[in-house]
Amino acid sequence: MQPPPQDRPPAGPTTTGPLRVLVVDDDPTVAEVVAGYLERGGYTVDRAEDGPGALERAAAFRPDLVVLDLMLPGMDGLEVCRRLRATGPVPVIMLTARGDEDDRILGLEVGADDYVTKPFSPRELVLRVESVLRRSHAARAAEGVATLAAAGLWVDPAARRATRDGTELALTLREFDLLTFLLRHPGQAFGREELMREVWGWEFGDLSTVTVHVRRLRGKVEDDPARPRLIQTVWGLGYRLDVPAGDAAGPADPTNSTDSTARRPPAPHDLRDPQGDPVPPRAEG
């Protein structure tokens, strides 16, 4: 089933060759429609109908992105996503027939970079694919970008590496972009819509996605995610990254490393709030 000419999706990101998308859905009608829209958008598409088949096709096809249904025979989408993320940083957009927030959070927690709830607009899905791929490939193409360091956090945007007190952080594509953005703008408050636009290039979307990613990022960079001292909630607006006094976020100095083959993260810092500000009575997502 091909989309009508008047409703064709926009072209995919400009690259040296077509980007590859693996569509995993056991509903042949859904898979056919999604594949048709993606092919019209300039992507090379492969398909799988179940969990084991998805892993097999991913290994052979080496997709740039996977569109993955949550409910699959043989192995559910959550487990497929876990295994895909364990083998590399391939972006994943999860499809779910249920709009329940718990399902969306589960998908994001196992490493999905986005989710779309059925029934959905195929055109919107293609726009989501385009957005995730654009961010992913722009990050991989970054060269000569200075590393960032503050409060025990160290980020290398070009290498897509992040550590906390010297320990590697397992961040999804979106979590990494969010942390990098906040480290580049310490002390500045940003609304959810602004973060969605500036960090991920979205002009539309569910604002709860930002809330979930902030919550997940706090779980990886805060000593006590329920009482965050770095990523603060700005009530009625959004979020702000606070760093200890005298430890302003900025480019890390690689010359301090005694290892000529790698740039080491900075030494741990005191994460206590130097202003002694009271913690709000509840931690908003």
Side-chain angles (χ1 to χ4, degrees), residues 166-224:
T167 301
E168 194 90 13
L169 293 174
L171 302 179
T172 66
L173 173 68
R174 226 182 251 187
E175 292 166 359
F176 185 93
D177 289 340
L178 178 59
L179 178 59
T180 301
F181 181 83
L182 293 174
L183 281 171
R184 284 176 174 156
H185 302 89
Q188 297 184 38
F190 297 95
R192 290 170 176 81
E193 290 183 354
E194 192 174 8
L195 287 172
M196 188 174 288
R197 181 178 62 252
E198 296 297 327
V199 179
W200 302 306
W202 281 25
E203 296 296 337
F204 63 93
D206 186 347
L207 295 181
S208 67
T209 301
V210 178
T211 304
V212 169
H213 279 84
V214 168
R215 184 182 304 140
R216 284 173 45 79
L217 185 58
R218 279 174 171 164
K220 298 176 182 181
V221 304
E222 299 279 3
D223 285 335
D224 182 358

Side-chain angles (χ1 to χ4, degrees), residues 89-158:
V90 59
V92 174
I93 295 179
M94 190 79 76
L95 303 181
T96 172
R98 295 170 291 183
D100 187 77
E101 183 181 8
D102 290 342
D103 292 324
R104 299 198 300 266
I105 292 175
L106 275 175
L108 296 173
E109 285 181 345
V110 299
D113 299 284
D114 195 7
Y115 64 87
V116 176
T117 303
K118 295 180 180 178
F120 57 87
S121 160
R123 181 177 176 83
E124 178 184 347
L125 176 59
V126 174
L127 290 172
R128 297 283 187 103
V129 168
E130 183 182 81
S131 177
V132 171
L133 282 171
R134 182 171 59 246
R135 297 294 302 177
S136 175
H137 283 264
R140 292 176 187 176
E143 295 181 358
V145 180
T147 57
L148 301 167
L153 299 171
W154 177 87
V155 169
D156 185 340

Side-chain angles (χ1 to χ4, degrees), residues 1-85:
M1 181 186 305
Q2 295 293 338
Q6 67 270 21
D7 193 26
R8 290 180 182 175
T14 301
T15 65
T16 56
L19 293 173
R20 299 179 299 277
V21 179
L22 175 62
V23 177
V24 186
D25 200 304
D26 63 330
D27 186 326
T29 300
V30 172
E32 185 177 355
V33 170
V34 170
Y37 268 77
L38 289 168
E39 287 167 352
R40 292 291 185 96
Y43 299 98
T44 298
V45 180
D46 196 4
R47 288 160 56 176
E49 299 179 352
D50 55 33
L55 296 176
E56 180 181 339
R57 292 309 307 148
F61 184 58
R62 299 181 61 84
D64 296 288
L65 181 141
V66 178
V67 176
L68 179 64
D69 190 26
L70 176 63
M71 304 300 292
L72 292 171
M75 180 188 302
D76 67 25
L78 295 175
E79 182 60 27
V80 172
C81 187
R82 287 190 189 96
R83 298 194 185 191
L84 287 173
R85 298 298 298 181

